[in-house]
Amino acid sequence: MQATLNKIYRFFVPQRNPSEIKRKYGIPDQLDFSIEITDDGWFIAECKNFSGLFTQARSKAELLDMVNDAVLTYFGVPKKESDYIFNELRLPNNETIRYEAKLRTA
């Protein structure tokens, strides 16, 4: 339900350009995350650049969303301005997770 409401909201209020968000809130262009997979299949991502910036996810697909949410929360970016800051994430095995759909920005 929340995802549907967010899509409707973003239809009328496009996300701001990630480069603009990074500049405004002082978010580096690249962050170095260590990513581990637990024995029970959870993905744990911890940022090496900023202490306390970490998250977890149940799947690779969810991991990119959770990393973006953690970064936006850490840097105090309001939800109304941005849903994502990075559109891809590289895993330790060099696999890259990307947002497939074109993301609409203002």
Side-chain angles (χ1 to χ4, degrees), residues 68-84:
N68 273 302
D69 184 60
V71 171
L72 293 169
T73 301
Y74 189 90
F75 285 93
V77 179
K79 289 284 187 191
K80 67 181 180 180
E81 289 190 34
S82 184
D83 293 326
Y84 73 95

Side-chain angles (χ1 to χ4, degrees), residues 49-66:
N49 311 78
F50 294 94
S51 178
L53 176 50
F54 61 92
T55 191
Q56 64 183 14
R58 295 177 199 238
S59 67
K60 290 182 214 176
E62 185 183 49
L63 184 60
L64 183 54
D65 289 333
M66 298 305 289

Side-chain angles (χ1 to χ4, degrees), residues 29-47:
D29 284 331
Q30 292 186 0
L31 294 174
D32 188 13
F33 278 89
S34 66
I35 300 170
E36 297 178 23
I37 303 172
T38 65
D39 292 337
D40 56 349
W42 282 81
F43 291 83
I44 309 294
E46 184 174 3
C47 184

